[in-house]
Amino acid sequence: QVQLVESGGGFVQAGGSLRLSCAASGSILSIETMAWYRAASGKQRELVASISRGGSINYADSVKGRFTISRDNARNMVDLQMNSLEPEDTAIYYCNADIRATMPSVLRNYWGQGTQVTVSS
């Protein structure tokens, strides 16, 4: 059973920083793209940042220069360092990954349960 577990959310004042971590566990053969999405209240889930297995990175325009995504392929983990946080960053943040399990050996998309980030003004 493959699962993604996020940690690191919380409450912070505007201008502050938080670091989110996501660990993939289970019978994993390989992990392709890993990403962070967020869903603010009343809004659709949106892509925040993604990173390929080879290290190619994409960011949403709204977080460029403030957020940094990184991954540890050996530990099956992806992190999101969030600096200069703004109230508009308040949302539930979800980890997402394309994972090939060992049995059956198919590539599937997985979501974490989400972690709340609240930024006060």
Side-chain angles (χ1 to χ4, degrees), residues 1 6 11 19 31-32 34 40-42 47 54 58 72 74 86 90 94-95 97 100 104 106 108 114-116:
Q1 183 78 7
E6 301 105 333
F11 181 93
R19 188 176 184 88
I31 302 178
E32 302 304 321
M34 303 187 82
S41 179
L47 176 67
N58 287 300
D72 185 333
E86 304 168 351
T90 295
Y94 297 90
C95 180
R100 187 178 301 277
V106 295
R108 289 181 54 189
T115 184
Q116 177 70 46

Side-chain angles (χ1 to χ4, degrees), residues 35-85:
W36 289 94
Y37 286 75
R38 67 186 181 188
S41 179
K43 295 186 177 181
Q44 289 188 334
R45 192 175 298 189
E46 63 174 358
L47 176 67
V48 176
S50 66
I51 181 168
S52 72
R53 182 172 180 81
S56 296
I57 292 173
N58 287 300
Y59 293 104
D61 288 343
S62 59
V63 307
K64 284 181 180 177
R66 300 188 297 122
F67 290 12
T68 302
I69 190 171
S70 61
R71 66 186 283 174
D72 185 333
N73 289 333
R75 298 171 62 197
N76 292 335
M77 293 188 67
V78 61
D79 290 345
L80 185 69
Q81 177 66 43
M82 304 184 294
N83 298 328
S84 302
L85 283 160

Side-chain angles (χ1 to χ4, degrees), residues 11-17 84-87 118-121:
F11 181 93
V12 66
Q13 290 188 330
S17 298
S84 302
L85 283 160
E86 304 168 351
T118 302
V119 184
S120 67
S121 59

Side-chain angles (χ1 to χ4, degrees), residues 7-29:
S7 61
F11 181 93
V12 66
Q13 290 188 330
S17 298
L18 283 173
R19 188 176 184 88
L20 305 182
S21 293
C22 172
S25 63
S27 300
I28 296 171
L29 186 61

